[in-house]
Every structure is written in C-alpha cells, then in structure tokens.
Amino acid sequence: MPRLTPIAVALAQLAAGGGLAGAVALASDGQPAARAAAPTPAKATAVAQRRVVPSYYVADAAIEAVRRATMSAQIAGQVTHFFVDAGDRVKRGQVLARIDSRDVDAQAAAGSAQVAQAQANLAAAQLNYDRSANLVKQNFLSQAALDKAEAELKTARAAVDVARATQAQSSTARGYSEVRAPIDGVVTRRLLELGELAQPGKPILELHDPQALRATGSVPQMVLAAVTGASATTAPVRVELPTLGTSVTATRVTVLPAADARLLSTQVRAELPSPLPAGVMPGVTAKLWLPTGQAEKLVIPVAAVVRRGELTATHVVQPDGRMLLRQLRVGDTSDGQVEVLAGLAEGERVALDPLRTARQ
C-alpha cells in the first residue's frame, strides 16, 4: 500500500472534515489526486488574472520608542525613595526618585555661611576705604595707604562673587537629589533598588513615550536603490505585526544616511501612527514591507485562499460547475490580493468563500 505524504494527509483531512461531497483520492503512485465534488449551487467567484501590483522587500524589524530617556544620578548617594515603578505613567517634571541629600545639604549650608562671611568682609573693607579716603583728603594718610585700602575693597567684592557662585552651585546640586521625568511617558524599567548607591552617570530609571513608536529594520545594500528610488513611492510602507496578527501603515519612513560595513546593510525606520493596537510596545517583532516598484503578477483575492497548518489551497471552479480543492504556493499579499506562484493558471476561476464551499 503506498505511503501517504504529509500534504496528502492534510488534503484528505481537509476534505473529510469540511464535509466535501468529493474526497481526495490517492493515485497509483501514492500522490494525492482530488476528485470532483458533486454539483453545488452558484457561489461568489473570482478569476485568477495578471495585474501590475506593487512589489515589496520584506525586512525583519523591531519596535522601538522614538522618545525615550534614561535617568541617571548626578550626585552620589543612597536611593531613599522610589515614587514610581515599571509600567507607571508619568508626566514631565514629576519626581520619580529621591537620593540622600545630606551631603549636598551640608554643602549648601556651608555656601550660605561663606556668602555671609564674604559680605561682612566687604562691609569692613568698604568702611576702611571710606576712612582712608577722608584721611587722604586731610593729608593725614598717604596715597599708598589709600591704594592699599582700595585693593582690599576690590578683593572683598570678588570674594562675595565667589561665595555666591559657590552657593548657587550647592543649591543646584541639592536639586539633583530629586530625579524628575524629562518627558511624558511610561516607566520602562527600574535599574536600582532602595538603599543602593547611586553614582553620577549610573542609570536609575528608563522611560519611553508609548504614543511615539517606530519599526526599525535593516535593508541589504543590493536592494537599497530600489527601496529609496522614485519607483518605490508607488505604495505606502506597511508594518506587519505577526505576534498581534495585524498591520499598520507607516506615517513616515527614514533611511539612515549610513551603512553597516560589517553587515552590508542600511537601517530603515518607519514611524507608526497613533493610536496603536494594544500590545504594541518596544521590543515587539515586526516586518517592514518596503515597496521596490511594480511588477506583473498572477493574483487572486485573499478571500479565496484557505489555510490549514502548512497547507495553502483554494477551490477551483471546473467547467461543469464543480469545485476542485487545489494546493497553492503563494507569495506577497497587497491590497486584498495574494500572489500565486504555483497551482493556478491565468483565467481559472476560484471560490471566494472556501470555508463555506468546504461545508457543502
């Protein structure tokens, strides 16, 4: 007895499970041969025909945020408070975490004391200069003494400026003890825990704006000219999200003006519209359908294709009106039409409701 191939088994199961009047038989060589079903009522059909349709290059991509930020510490100290966690929505300027500020508080207090001391020295130098000027007018003091008093006055004024600058620096550092959100967005992850030591430049939190996302992929240099050429503007760029079973049209596409010499590819970014379907977030896999021009292809409507696991087929209308289940090899899909690479000839008619046809 000939051994059934996987495709033969799939065709047989599809015919039996769908309740087809005709069954899939096996030829003498063991290959599946579909027998015509009993006549069925008239159904909606379409004709396989050649059309000039857009051609695409499909690039693997990943979703990433257009606006994202990594907050780092600007002073050293222990993290004393976290006011948000991963997944929380935040507003620009909102306090996200606080770092122990006792050291900078002490520096700020010292800066204030230095300003007070410098101002007192300036007042004394001003009095000394005024006194020396009066004595010079009365010829009781030499000009050299007055010059010395004037130099001391200028030094005291400069000391006040230095003390005020130091105080301002200390006050600014004190503000660094609070980590604030630079953008509106969502907390992606928290990189430190309470009590851990924060160091200048060490990341603490990551944010991203979920309303501004893009798909980033790489295009080989051999097809880059077709992607960026004038012929590629005939169709929009489509971003497919396989894990969600949906796709969206990119609002803007940017081809970076640099190439990766190691991978011989160029990065392409496709910005996504807003709002987006639930589940679209940074890190999700995607596919970029980049138009490369137009080509003549044999196509049928997507509604005429039936898929069962690895089997792709359609119901072909015979001249006597009967239906024949036939396996297909398909290519790209665009504008509701799917390219037929093998299994159909131009002019053949197919059923538009294959599932209903299978039940009859």
Side-chain angles (χ1 to χ4, degrees), residues 23-60:
V24 177
L26 292 177
S28 59
D29 58 354
Q31 299 299 319
R35 292 191 290 106
T40 56
K43 303 178 181 66
T45 61
V47 177
Q49 55 186 327
R50 293 192 174 274
R51 291 184 182 179
V52 176
V53 295
S55 58
Y56 293 89
Y57 175 79
V58 183
D60 292 329

Side-chain angles (χ1 to χ4, degrees), residues 126-245:
Q126 185 68 51
L127 290 175
N128 184 43
Y129 174 79
D130 294 341
R131 188 182 302 111
S132 298
N134 291 331
L135 292 177
V136 168
K137 291 179 181 179
Q138 299 175 15
N139 295 324
F140 286 114
L141 197 64
S142 65
Q143 185 63 36
L146 180 61
D147 293 342
K148 182 179 179 181
E150 184 179 5
E152 291 175 351
L153 177 61
K154 292 180 179 179
T155 301
R157 288 173 178 170
V160 171
D161 292 338
V162 171
R164 286 175 177 170
T166 302
Q167 183 186 34
Q169 186 178 14
S170 300
S171 299
T172 302
R174 186 177 184 182
Y176 292 155
S177 63
E178 293 182 341
V179 180
R180 297 180 178 270
I183 60 172
D184 294 345
V186 174
V187 179
T188 306
R189 57 177 177 164
R190 200 172 73 181
L191 303 174
L192 289 181
E193 298 296 334
L194 285 176
E196 289 191 277
L197 181 63
Q199 296 286 351
K202 186 176 182 179
I204 297 178
L205 291 163
E206 288 184 357
L207 300 179
H208 78 274
D209 184 359
Q211 303 301 321
L213 301 177
R214 66 189 176 201
T216 302
S218 296
V219 176
Q221 295 179 11
M222 62 181 181
V223 298
L224 184 61
V227 170
T228 58
S231 61
T233 61
T234 57
V237 173
R238 183 160 55 92
V239 180
E240 182 184 355
L241 304 168
T243 57
L244 302 179

Side-chain angles (χ1 to χ4, degrees), residues 91-113:
K91 295 291 185 180
R92 180 178 180 180
Q94 179 179 338
V95 178
L96 308 180
R98 182 172 290 128
I99 300 173
D100 187 1
S101 61
R102 286 177 293 181
D103 289 344
V104 292
D105 288 345
Q107 293 176 7
S112 299

